[in-house]
Amino acid sequence: TPPTGFRFPAEWERHKQTWIGWPERLDNWRENAVPAQETFQEVISNIADFEQVTVVVSGSSWRQVRRLFDDNQNVRVVEMSTDDCWLRDTGPIFIASRTGKSSTQVCGVDFDFNAWGGVKEGCYVNWDKDALVAWKILDLEGLKRYVSNLVLEGGAVSTDGQGTLLATEECVLHSNRNPNWTRDMIETEMKLYLGVEKIIWLPLGVYGDHDTNGHVDNLCVFVGPAKVVIHWTEDRTDPQYERSLRAFQILETSRDAKGRSLSIHKLPAPGPFYRTELEASGVVATPQAVVRKVNERLVASYVNFYFANNVLIMPSFGEPWDTQAKEIFQSIVPERQIRQVAAREIILGGGGIHCITQQQPDD
Ligand SMILES: NCCCCCC(N)=O
């Protein structure tokens, strides 16, 4: 039965901690996953400067990862078996209800997961360990678990914490997620379990985002009440142009759950970037996972950032756009520090900084 009286808090609201995975599978992460682990270590260290972090790792990596953060009191390392490390999508979506003036009751929704498209179109063919991650996290935290049979990933939705949700039709309504559900049934289930009243549907996600079929957390997310950032290019020859323009036009005429129009901040699209021969050759292809090909266009977006307490952690790609994007973010959230982390190694795995994190609201 769905939760009642709860709401989906915005990512910018106060966190108790961040949950994050650890990259290990060699058919997704090149060079024994070492370059990705160095990047994850940097993301974890940056978040841990601002809030508690729990890193979820396999038994074989526990000692190595614990030693990496030996002296860091803000980092906890928990052994948990997983199929990969995308806790945005395999972790619970935490919801909260106000119980009295200061305290809130937090619980979690365990949506169904099928590795972003199931056996035929997903990123890997076995996800039985990933399917238990949300339940295990809620069990570890002693929080109530609500189960929904809807296949939905945390990266596919963005909320303002005030009853509005952003999502892309390309992903959430994709036939490889919930083939037997109508649009109405999907909308109803999302509203019921996330406590939202209004869903703003954007047609298509970022061009080339085959891993997730266009997750909204690469295209457009809330950065404040009635305030969004959108992945934007002025290059009319780039296939992204039409996709961003259509989303922009819909956002311009949309109203949020409180009837407000949205202020839309354009973030420049870096790149485009393509996987090099060296980057492709470092991955050990297996029949179990999607093949990482040379010259494949990578999905690089400044929209895939993470809000931790008092900080915004954004990706950098070694481009002049990095500085412009940072200035735009600083103008939007002047009260926050901004940290930049080189994110190419995460992008090569099919996601970004937002995709590897999952916030747990403060209670
Ligand atoms: N290979 C799987 C990539 C998953 C990306 C996750 C996300 N939220 O975009």
Side-chain angles (χ1 to χ4, degrees):
T1 45
T4 51
F6 283 85
R7 66 181 183 91
F8 183 7
E11 194 169 297
W12 56 79
E13 296 182 48
R14 187 137 193 84
H15 298 172
K16 180 172 188 177
Q17 67 179 319
T18 293
W19 291 83
I20 190 164
W22 190 253
E24 297 190 51
R25 64 179 302 157
L26 306 185
D27 56 7
N28 195 52
W29 303 103
R30 70 189 187 108
E31 309 298 347
N32 281 324
V34 171
Q37 289 174 0
E38 287 165 353
T39 302
F40 275 58
Q41 179 179 358
E42 213 190 318
V43 172
I44 293 164
S45 301
N46 275 285
I47 299 171
D49 282 349
F50 298 88
E51 66 182 60
Q52 291 287 335
V53 182
T54 297
V55 191
V56 161
V57 296
S58 66
S60 54
S61 296
W62 190 89
R63 178 194 293 271
Q64 170 213 347
V65 176
R66 182 63 269 175
R67 300 305 302 270
L68 279 179
F69 300 100
D70 242 355
D71 53 355
N72 193 325
Q73 296 308 309
N74 273 353
V75 177
R76 180 173 68 155
V77 183
V78 167
E79 178 176 338
M80 190 183 295
S81 40
T82 64
D83 296 292
D84 204 352
C85 55
W86 306 95
L87 262 71
R88 179 59 54 187
D89 299 335
T90 58
I93 292 186
F94 290 97
I95 54 179
S97 81
R98 203 165 296 300
T99 49
K101 265 207 253 350
S102 60
S103 65
T104 52
Q105 185 199 350
V106 173
C107 58
V109 185
D110 184 353
F111 284 103
D112 203 355
F113 176 73
N114 74 349
W116 308 276
V119 175
K120 282 202 179 58
E121 298 185 18
C123 292
Y124 35 85
V125 294
N126 301 303
W127 57 83
D128 46 328
K129 297 192 270 303
D130 280 349
L132 289 174
V133 166
W135 192 354
K136 288 178 179 175
I137 286 176
L138 292 168
D139 198 49
L140 278 171
E141 292 299 297
L143 298 177
K144 190 166 171 48
R145 165 181 177 252
Y146 291 96
V147 180
S148 167
N149 298 321
L150 180 71
V151 174
L152 184 72
E153 301 100 37
V157 293
S158 172
T159 187
D160 61 357
Q162 299 179 8
T164 320
L165 208 65
L166 279 168
T168 65
E169 292 170 335
E170 180 184 8
C171 173
V172 179
L173 307 182
H174 200 289
S175 58
N176 67 16
R177 294 306 206 278
N178 303 283
N180 306 322
W181 296 53
T182 65
R183 179 195 183 108
D184 266 3
M185 290 162 71
I186 293 172
E187 272 221 20
T188 303
E189 188 85 352
M190 291 166 81
K191 289 175 175 175
L192 215 49
Y193 279 84
L194 295 175
V196 296
E197 294 104 52
K198 174 82 183 277
I199 301 177
I200 299 174
W201 290 102
L202 303 176
L204 298 170
V206 171
Y207 174 73
D209 188 355
H210 305 300
D211 270 47
T212 70
N213 304 111
H215 265 185
V216 83
D217 70 349
N218 273 317
L219 176 77
C220 177
V221 298
F222 278 107
V223 286
K227 204 183 291 184
V228 300
V229 287
I230 185 171
H231 181 68
W232 188 261
T233 178
E234 297 295 350
D235 177 358
R236 293 168 182 272
T237 67
D238 189 310
Q240 184 58 41
Y241 182 80
E242 274 307 311
R243 288 169 170 251
S244 294
L245 180 62
R246 278 183 67 191
F248 187 86
Q249 288 164 341
I250 289 170
L251 291 164
E252 264 187 324
T253 56
S254 292
R255 296 288 176 273
D256 67 13
K258 298 210 182 290
R260 297 170 297 204
S261 56
L262 304 173
S263 66
I264 310 166
H265 300 263
K266 295 173 178 176
L267 285 173
F273 303 120
Y274 301 88
R275 184 178 281 103
T276 65
E277 168 60 45
L278 176 70
E279 289 166 339
S281 62
V283 181
V284 181
T286 68
Q288 282 72 43
V290 64
V291 179
R292 300 305 186 185
K293 300 188 186 83
V294 191
N295 290 333
E296 213 169 29
R297 176 153 161 166
L298 302 174
V299 177
S301 168
Y302 293 112
V303 173
N304 205 277
F305 69 87
Y306 181 59
F307 277 132
N309 291 336
N310 305 312
V311 68
L312 184 155
I313 301 186
M314 64 177 282
S316 63
F317 302 101
E319 286 231 314
W321 292 127
D322 291 344
T323 308
Q324 186 175 340
K326 182 182 180 188
E327 285 163 3
I328 294 166
F329 275 129
Q330 194 68 85
S331 70
I332 295 170
V333 284
E335 74 286 359
R336 284 176 179 265
Q337 292 188 46
I338 309 263
R339 295 283 180 91
Q340 291 175 290
V341 178
R344 187 175 178 104
E345 292 302 332
I346 310 177
I347 305 296
L348 286 168
I353 291 174
H354 190 252
C355 312
I356 64 175
T357 56
Q358 185 61 253
Q359 69 278 2
Q360 178 175 342
D362 215 353
D363 45 22

